Amino acid sequence: MTPMLEAAERTRIPRRTASPPTWLVVALTCAGQFLVVLDVSVVNVALPSMRTGLGLSEQGLQWVVNAYTIAFAGFMLLGGRAGDLYGRKRMFLVGLGVFTLASVAGGLAQDDWQLLVARAVQGLGAAVLAPSTLTILTSSVPEGPARARAIGTWTAVGGAGGAAGGLAGGLLVEALSWRWVLLINVPVGVVVLCAAAWFLVEGRAGDRRRLDLPGALLVTTGLGTLAYGISQTEAEGWTAAATLLPLLAGLVLIALFLAVEARTASPLMPLGLLRLRSVASANVSMFLCGFAMFCMWFFMTLYAQNVLGYTPLEAGLALVPSSLAVVLGSKLAPRLMRAAGPRTVAVMGTLVAVAGFAWQSRMTAEGSFATAILVPGILMMLGAGLASTPLAALATSGAAPGEAGLVSGLVNTSRTMGGSLGLAVLSTLAAARTAGSGTPAALTEGYALAFRVGTGVLIAGVLLMWVWLPRMPRER
């Protein structure tokens, strides 16, 4: 057992004999998800200020985001399994505690490496926290329309984190400094931690088998090394040793992870789980959607500030409508699922996002707010909200109680790792297109290329969903 889990075992957590109201469970789990998403969007708005304050390079800016998302995605399967084995409430509290302490460290960082380490530890805390939020929610609400509505709320709150992050980030950077985009997590984390410790009821579905730490380390190191190799292509090219070696090493580590999972008695990710069509197809679809959609915030923020000349606050305000659109899409999805079924809604949502990405790929250096940010942003995020809820519902449907945390972790892993690798690939392509020029026209060409590639990835996702996602019965 790891030191973190040993500490968790020694922690006295208030136990309640009566189950809390469903609305309270949904509120607390959504609050945890809100923090996880907030920490991505709030940092995006502060990236230019972080670069000035700590002297970060363009590649360093990418790793302010990727240090978090790679640790987040790489350890999320471990976090989901830990919730099954050691208690979902316990892991919710451990993850939130680690996340909050790392936010303090990041906000007080004096060097770029300190910030990156703090962001990675934040990602570790989020990896333990996030699967518990979805598992506690799905285990508290019976499968059917009620669960679809709860998942829709969970997805919508994630979108609200994007809206609040952009706006709060702009306000904090202009009124205080970039440090407060991390320190703001502390009071919110403390309040949610205390409320969850008192109100949530412990739940454990599995036995106390050991955790697959070798598997977690292999998949995290492999994906991180792969993302690093992709980022090296900007400076070194695709054929240089500095690029090929980490790319090959990453692929070898991922292959070793699959080999370990096939042989270990208690695998982090039982490969047999992927034989379930709903689990495999929904997670691959989530990966492709995350690959494109996660990067929208990153490039739109840079475009608004570096090309259109917006201040951090103006950039945050500009992205609020698109952030609210993902909330609207998430709340509409359960109703549409009852009428048309999850597969149709997922395809429809992705097609809406394709329209937004295609529109955004035609951006210019003289773009107006309405045509360069507002309308395409709303289309992209409305589609994201419509697609995410049915994909999450499909991926978690039919899972055995003892695998609920693992499946929830897999959903988040697919989406987040898709976003992390997508950011590495699209950032590299955008930087290569600018050829080192910092003029608005050159930057716009790079950002537009990223959105064109994202459009192609989403079109591939639409085809895959239509062919592979199962036809689930319509909910009544």
Side-chain angles (χ1 to χ4, degrees):
M1 189 182 297
T2 65
M4 183 176 72
L5 292 178
E6 290 174 352
E9 286 293 314
R10 295 194 297 268
T11 302
R12 292 184 175 274
I13 298 175
R15 296 181 180 275
R16 297 172 63 85
T17 56
S19 297
T22 300
W23 68 265
L24 183 57
V25 174
V26 173
L28 288 173
T29 55
C30 286
Q33 179 69 3
F34 178 86
L35 274 177
V36 168
V37 177
L38 176 75
D39 210 62
V40 176
S41 60
V42 78
V43 166
N44 276 335
V45 175
L47 288 174
S49 300
M50 288 179 173
R51 179 176 186 175
T52 302
L54 295 179
L56 287 160
S57 64
E58 196 69 33
Q59 192 177 68
L61 280 184
Q62 174 187 327
W63 282 96
V64 170
V65 179
N66 264 349
Y68 177 85
T69 56
I70 289 174
F72 183 22
F75 283 104
M76 210 178 312
L77 293 176
L78 186 69
R81 175 56 80 193
D84 288 336
L85 301 183
Y86 298 101
R88 292 153 188 172
K89 173 183 176 179
R90 190 181 301 278
M91 291 301 101
F92 183 98
L93 298 178
V94 169
L96 184 54
V98 171
F99 179 88
T100 304
L101 290 174
S103 297
V104 175
L108 300 179
Q110 299 300 310
D111 293 300
D112 53 358
W113 69 267
Q114 293 174 353
L115 176 62
L116 296 181
V117 169
R119 290 286 290 163
V121 177
Q122 272 189 311
L124 174 61
V128 178
L129 170 64
S132 296
T133 67
L134 185 56
T135 307
I136 292 171
L137 185 149
T138 54
S139 63
S140 302
V141 182
E143 190 168 350
R147 181 181 292 183
R149 288 193 298 271
I151 293 176
T153 301
W154 181 82
T155 305
V157 166
L167 180 57
L171 287 169
L172 290 169
V173 170
E174 291 208 352
L176 298 169
S177 78
W178 65 263
R179 298 182 182 278
W180 282 94
V181 302
L182 297 174
L183 294 175
I184 194 65
N185 293 328
V186 179
V188 180
V190 169
V191 170
V192 176
L193 193 67
C194 293
W198 179 251
F199 289 109
L200 290 182
V201 176
E202 184 59 276
R204 180 182 295 124
D207 55 31
R208 290 180 175 269
R209 293 173 291 171
R210 68 179 180 86
L211 288 174
D212 181 19
L213 290 177
L217 292 174
L218 282 171
V219 70
T220 304
T221 306
L223 292 170
T225 305
L226 191 63
Y228 175 75
I230 293 170
S231 70
Q232 285 293 95
T233 61
E234 173 192 347
E236 305 291 342
W238 285 96
T239 59
T243 299
L244 291 177
L245 288 177
L247 287 175
L248 292 174
L251 293 174
V252 169
L253 288 169
I254 292 172
L256 286 174
F257 165 72
L258 295 175
V260 167
E261 298 308 284
R263 290 170 172 77
T264 188
S266 302
L268 179 66
M269 186 181 72
L271 299 182
L273 192 64
L274 297 179
R275 297 192 184 100
L276 294 175
R277 181 179 177 183
S278 61
V279 173
S281 60
N283 275 281
V284 173
S285 301
M286 193 76 82
F287 178 90
L288 293 175
C289 288
F291 187 99
M293 294 177 185
F294 180 87
C295 303
M296 176 267 189
W297 305 109
F298 182 83
F299 288 111
M300 290 289 276
T301 300
L302 294 180
Y303 173 63
Q305 294 186 60
N306 294 341
V307 175
L308 301 183
Y310 287 20
T311 66
L313 176 57
E314 289 170 342
L317 288 170
L319 293 175
V320 167
S322 55
S323 301
L324 295 177
V326 75
V327 178
L328 175 62
S330 301
K331 297 304 291 181
L332 285 175
R335 299 182 181 182
L336 296 175
M337 288 163 62
R338 290 196 293 272
R343 186 186 73 156
T344 302
V345 176
V347 169
M348 179 181 67
T350 309
L351 284 173
V352 172
V354 165
F357 270 78
W359 185 322
Q360 192 63 47
S361 70
R362 300 177 61 83
M363 64 171 65
T364 66
E366 297 80 26
S368 67
F369 167 70
T371 58
I373 292 181
L374 179 64
V375 175
I378 288 175
L379 288 173
M380 286 186 277
M381 289 298 99
L382 178 63
L386 287 170
S388 296
T389 299
L391 289 177
L394 283 169
T396 56
S397 63
E403 307 292 339
L406 175 63
V407 173
S408 299
L410 189 58
V411 170
N412 280 293
T413 298
S414 299
R415 177 173 55 190
T416 308
M417 188 48 65
S420 181
L421 292 178
L423 181 59
V425 171
L426 298 181
S427 294
T428 299
L429 292 174
R433 174 57 63 93
T434 63
S437 175
T439 65
L443 291 172
T444 301
E445 287 185 13
Y447 303 152
L449 175 62
F451 281 103
R452 282 198 295 275
V453 175
T455 302
V457 171
L458 289 178
I459 290 174
V462 168
L463 297 175
L464 181 143
M465 291 177 203
W466 188 253
V467 172
W468 197 9
L469 287 178
R471 291 178 178 271
M472 303 293 286
R474 299 174 184 178
E475 297 172 351
R476 301 296 181 186

